[in-house]
Amino acid sequence: MATDSSAYEEMIKGLWRDNPVFVQVLGMCPMLAVTNSAINAVVMGLATFFVLVGSSFLVSSFKQWIPKQVRISLYIIIIATFVTVVDYSLLALLPAIHKELGAFIPLIVANCMILGRQEAFASKHNVKYAVMDAVGMSGGFMIALFALGSVREILGVGAFFGIDLFGTNFESWVIMILPPGGFLTLGLLLLFFNWFTERRREFLLKVAESDRMAYVDGDK
Amino acid sequence: MTDKHDKTKASSIVTQEPSSTRLIVSMAVAGFISGIIIIAIYMLTFETIKENKARELREAVFKVLPDVSFMQKLHFIDNKLIVVKAEGMDDEMIFAGYDPQRKFIGYAIQGKGPGFQDTIHVLFGYLSSKQNVVGMEILDSRETPGLGDKIFKDMDFVGEFSNLPISKDIKAVKKGKKTQENEIDAITGATISSKAVVRIINKAFNKWSPRLPQQGSEPVLEKQDNQ
């Protein structure tokens, strides 16, 4: 039971507390490049999910056979293999989506979040934790991509998942789908995220304080 | 328990330097396995990808040439257009479309050229009898999503090619400034991409129009097994 809850903990931490984008600020290339629409963000998130979980599983399973001196190149080989598999599978099964994401799928190889998880986590933990960690991290990555993609598509095109939201009178903010819009939105989301975390910490402190006071009062 | 297990392993790696042979072997094994997987997935998906591409191209031909029910591929070799049936496509090929009575209707001509970010691959339908462009389809492009990709997502823009005289070169002008028959409205915010499409069509047309046979002597539709 105890191990289960800590495995769950490994998964949950990637979603919020150690979110790869909002807290660790990793994987910025796909983050800014493909998030000009919600659907692109979701597919990029799914592709990253597959690559990260697969690589973490393999790296963790073979960690005693991976010599430290050549580990980075071995991680890259493993990651690149998964990325190629995703690239060809998408091209064969979902050609329309592949057309949209085109150049960015091969670039998953260079997503520092994935290599970072291998180096910092999968190579030091057993398979179960490594996979849970990978699921959580890619989940958190997907949430961040989706948040950015939705904001940029809604403001930049006036649509959500391609469905028109505001009718013809809406003048779309063209800058939001261009690269500067990505930086702006990411900055604002980071601001919001940190503000929220700060508020939550203060709130928890306050609750703890009042609990203590109540306890002291009750003691009297 | 697992923690203890992991720790002993970690310390053994630190104390024992692996031999260079071992390093090379582990790299080689990983590279070998990875190579096998990559080639396997390539071979597994190759047929599907080829079929997808061929189907896309076929559908595009029927889209840019309205009322067409048969088509055949023409290859320009030795100053002549000859009918080819083989799979595959190259820059020296166009399509001829025929109506249900097997009468010739028009050509589907392809052109490639630089867009805003990468090569745009365009297919357009051409009626030689009226000297009109009757349809346009983007086969491949990497234009900016949300802006440049309107060249195939904005139906108003695509629709402008549905009946467009091309006896003179087509021109893309600022939206609302259209005065001549051979002008089209460029997409707001995607002027470069719109102009690129127009330039590609003009270039392909100027390349192909001297090569096309005289009216009335178009290639006849040859019998095809699978149509």
Side-chain angles (χ1 to χ4, degrees):
Chain A
M1 230 15 232
T3 55
D4 275 344
S5 70
S6 62
Y8 175 72
E9 184 59 32
E10 295 299 352
M11 191 184 91
I12 253 3
K13 74 170 194 289
L15 297 181
W16 187 258
R17 204 188 65 218
D18 286 344
N19 186 295
V21 174
F22 294 138
V23 178
Q24 304 179 50
V25 201
L26 290 178
M28 286 299 109
C29 165
M31 188 69 206
L32 294 165
V34 300
T35 53
N36 33 34
S37 74
I39 184 74
N40 282 4
V42 169
V43 175
M44 189 54 165
L46 286 176
T48 310
F49 177 87
F50 175 76
V51 173
L52 180 54
V53 172
S55 322
S56 280
F57 174 76
L58 277 191
V59 166
S60 174
S61 325
F62 292 105
K63 61 178 178 297
Q64 54 262 58
W65 289 292
I66 296 180
K68 228 181 162 184
Q69 290 79 354
V70 293
R71 66 185 189 285
I72 303 288
S73 15
L74 282 171
Y75 298 160
I76 290 285
I77 291 177
I78 292 174
I79 296 169
T81 310
F82 276 106
V83 170
T84 314
V85 170
V86 171
D87 194 22
Y88 279 118
S89 315
L90 272 183
L91 191 54
L93 302 175
L94 300 166
I97 296 281
H98 189 274
K99 220 174 172 180
E100 291 269 313
L101 292 179
F104 297 109
I105 297 283
L107 281 181
I108 299 177
V109 180
N111 186 333
C112 48
M113 179 197 74
I114 296 177
L115 188 60
R117 281 342 275 171
Q118 310 314 321
E119 176 76 1
F121 200 92
S123 59
K124 295 176 187 144
H125 293 82
N126 68 28
V127 178
K128 187 172 137 198
Y129 290 112
V131 169
M132 287 309 246
D133 172 73
V135 169
M137 282 295 162
S138 43
F141 188 64
M142 210 187 301
I143 291 174
L145 282 174
F146 181 68
L148 201 58
S150 315
V151 171
R152 289 179 70 188
E153 190 183 353
I154 290 172
L155 293 179
V157 189
F160 188 55
F161 279 107
I163 301 159
D164 206 2
L165 289 183
F166 306 118
T168 45
N169 285 329
F170 179 71
E171 186 64 49
S172 47
W173 309 7
V174 169
I175 194 161
M176 294 310 276
I177 37 180
L178 294 173
F183 284 100
L184 275 175
T185 318
L186 180 64
L188 291 175
L189 279 176
L190 279 175
L191 189 69
F192 170 76
F193 192 91
N194 284 321
W195 174 79
F196 188 83
T197 316
E198 187 71 14
R199 285 294 300 273
R200 188 158 170 269
R201 205 173 55 90
E202 274 170 20
F203 173 74
L204 287 178
L205 273 179
K206 222 178 255 172
V207 169
E209 180 73 10
S210 64
D211 272 3
R212 202 174 56 85
M213 294 304 283
Y215 180 74
V216 172
D217 285 348
D219 230 23
K220 273 180 192 167
Chain B
M1 207 184 115
T2 49
D3 274 350
K4 200 178 161 196
H5 195 62
D6 280 354
K7 248 175 222 159
T8 53
K9 212 156 273 159
S11 63
S12 76
I13 288 171
V14 173
T15 49
Q16 249 180 290
E17 280 294 318
S19 66
S20 42
T21 332
R22 204 190 140 216
L23 297 184
I24 293 172
V25 167
S26 50
M27 285 297 289
V29 169
F32 183 69
I33 296 174
S34 148
I36 289 179
I37 295 175
I38 288 176
I39 291 165
I41 189 89
Y42 174 72
M43 300 209 331
L44 270 176
T45 52
F46 180 73
E47 282 304 313
T48 331
I49 292 172
K50 215 172 81 186
E51 271 168 36
N52 282 347
K53 286 236 164 96
R55 198 187 53 231
E56 250 174 56
L57 190 61
R58 225 174 17 244
E59 280 171 5
V61 170
F62 287 121
K63 237 189 237 170
V64 297
L65 281 174
D67 315 320
V68 157
S69 23
F70 298 102
M71 57 169 244
Q72 62 184 2
K73 218 182 296 175
L74 306 174
H75 197 172
F76 190 76
I77 315 177
D78 303 331
N79 285 320
K80 259 189 317 209
L81 273 179
I82 51 166
V83 177
V84 281
K85 282 183 182 159
E87 290 272 320
M89 190 70 203
D90 73 33
D91 291 349
E92 300 302 307
M93 287 180 182
I94 56 170
F95 297 90
Y98 303 84
D99 70 4
Q101 284 79 45
R102 311 175 84 81
K103 226 183 89 211
F104 175 80
I105 291 186
Y107 299 101
I109 303 173
Q110 53 161 343
K112 280 180 193 164
F116 186 62
Q117 281 176 354
D118 204 348
T119 306
I120 302 179
H121 193 174
V122 183
L123 186 81
F124 63 96
Y126 171 63
L127 287 193
S128 43
S129 55
K130 290 191 200 154
Q131 295 213 313
N132 267 10
V133 171
V134 287
M136 185 274 291
E137 176 91 359
I138 306 290
L139 294 176
D140 197 17
S141 74
R142 299 227 191 296
E143 299 307 283
T144 322
L147 283 179
D149 68 352
K150 284 188 186 154
I151 54 173
F152 60 92
K153 282 190 177 155
D154 184 339
M155 283 307 131
D156 289 342
F157 180 74
V158 175
E160 293 197 72
F161 293 90
S162 62
N163 191 10
L164 184 66
I166 195 173
S167 43
K168 276 191 286 178
D169 273 4
I170 310 171
K171 266 189 210 141
V173 294
K174 218 170 175 177
K175 200 158 194 155
K177 292 265 168 70
K178 177 179 161 161
T179 49
Q180 301 289 316
E181 243 193 341
N182 66 333
E183 289 178 343
I184 60 151
D185 288 329
I187 300 164
T188 318
T191 321
I192 296 178
S193 305
S194 322
K195 287 200 165 154
V197 171
V198 167
R199 196 173 53 237
I200 293 163
I201 292 181
N202 284 332
K203 209 178 120 204
F205 177 73
N206 291 331
K207 170 181 161 190
W208 279 98
S209 71
R211 294 177 170 186
L212 299 176
Q214 291 272 313
Q215 250 191 71
S217 58
E218 283 92 3
V220 203
L221 179 65
E222 291 184 8
K223 265 249 175 313
Q224 290 189 7
D225 320 317
N226 54 355
Q227 275 195 0

